[in-house]
Amino acid sequence: MIGEAVRHPLRVRILEVLNERPMAPVDFVKAGYADFFFGQRPDVHHVAYHFRELAEYGCIEEVAWRKARGSVAKTYRGLARAEFIGEDWTELSDLEKRSISRTVVQGLVARIDWALMEKTFNSRDDRQLSWFAMQVDEQGWEEASEVLADAFYAIRQIREDAAARLSESGEKGMTATAGIMMFESPEPSPPASS
């Protein structure tokens, strides 16, 4: 059901933000979280529509409301995450896949940039950062894909276990970002002849 709820990239972005902090649609727009969608800024009514759709699917829930300029601003928090694994991903159109991938990558890059600006990215000596290009055959692709899927599920379990421990202990904890990617790359361009 989550796959159907987040077929639009703006909903992916909404879930990403609402899983970190409760927010009303008007605050989401004012904070600039919707600024990069297809080069234009969706208006509050458009964003509010997607909030309502996510609430209908049970992905977010209303946690507060306040009067704002003659209407009511409802604040929501995230209950689900936009994670596309298996059939949820294969059922999407090519355009939906491109739009959602773009949204997820932009969100990750924004988090990296924010951590670099706030000087938290390199604050721990055991932080992880690595990537490399490689040539693989179909078996190599499948093996690497399986390892990354296992890592995804393991990290998700770590997140859930840590949330339970923090809830029990009352500790504040720390915010961490983990990203897992593998994608087919275009062939390198041949060197220019002189």
Side-chain angles (χ1 to χ4, degrees):
M1 187 64 91
I2 182 71
E4 186 64 32
V6 292
R7 291 179 83 100
H8 192 283
L10 184 54
R11 293 182 192 176
V12 172
R13 182 72 170 138
I14 291 167
L15 278 181
E16 175 187 303
V17 171
L18 267 56
N19 273 296
E20 288 194 29
R21 68 185 74 64
M23 192 170 287
V26 66
D27 300 321
F28 184 89
V29 172
K30 283 182 182 177
Y33 289 116
D35 284 358
F36 60 84
F37 283 92
F38 309 108
Q40 50 189 302
R41 182 183 217 181
D43 65 27
V44 174
H45 298 292
H46 183 78
V47 171
Y49 164 78
H50 288 292
F51 269 67
R52 286 190 304 274
E53 288 292 303
L54 286 168
E56 276 188 37
Y57 278 104
C59 298
I60 63 175
E61 70 176 355
E62 183 182 332
V63 293
W65 63 273
R66 68 181 190 275
K67 290 186 179 180
R69 295 186 182 183
S71 64
V72 174
K74 295 179 181 179
T75 298
Y76 296 86
R77 73 177 175 111
L79 298 174
R81 296 188 182 269
E83 298 168 345
F84 291 91
I85 304 290
E87 284 184 26
D88 284 341
W89 184 249
T90 58
E91 291 176 359
L92 297 175
S93 71
D94 286 343
L95 178 60
E96 289 170 324
K97 288 177 183 178
R98 277 195 310 274
S99 297
I100 290 168
S101 292
R102 180 175 179 234
T103 300
V104 171
V105 169
Q106 285 176 331
L108 178 58
V109 169
R111 289 190 68 87
I112 292 168
D113 188 52
W114 182 29
L116 287 166
M117 296 298 289
E118 295 295 319
K119 299 181 180 166
T120 61
F121 191 88
N122 293 309
S123 64
R124 298 182 61 97
D125 289 337
D126 58 352
R127 71 101 170 103
Q128 299 292 320
L129 174 65
S130 59
W131 73 271
F132 55 89
M134 59 185 178
Q135 290 289 92
V136 295
D137 57 5
E138 194 62 36
Q139 179 180 338
W141 174 270
E142 290 172 9
E143 289 170 352
S145 182
E146 188 175 313
V147 165
L148 292 175
D150 290 346
F152 168 81
Y153 290 118
I155 289 172
R156 186 166 68 177
Q157 186 63 52
I158 290 167
R159 179 189 70 204
E160 292 169 9
D161 294 346
R165 286 191 306 272
L166 289 169
S167 176
E168 187 175 306
S169 71
E171 283 181 69
K172 183 179 183 293
M174 73 178 84
T175 300
T177 300
I180 299 174
M181 289 190 281
M182 182 177 71
F183 50 91
E184 185 174 348
S185 300
E187 291 296 320
S189 300
S193 56
S194 43

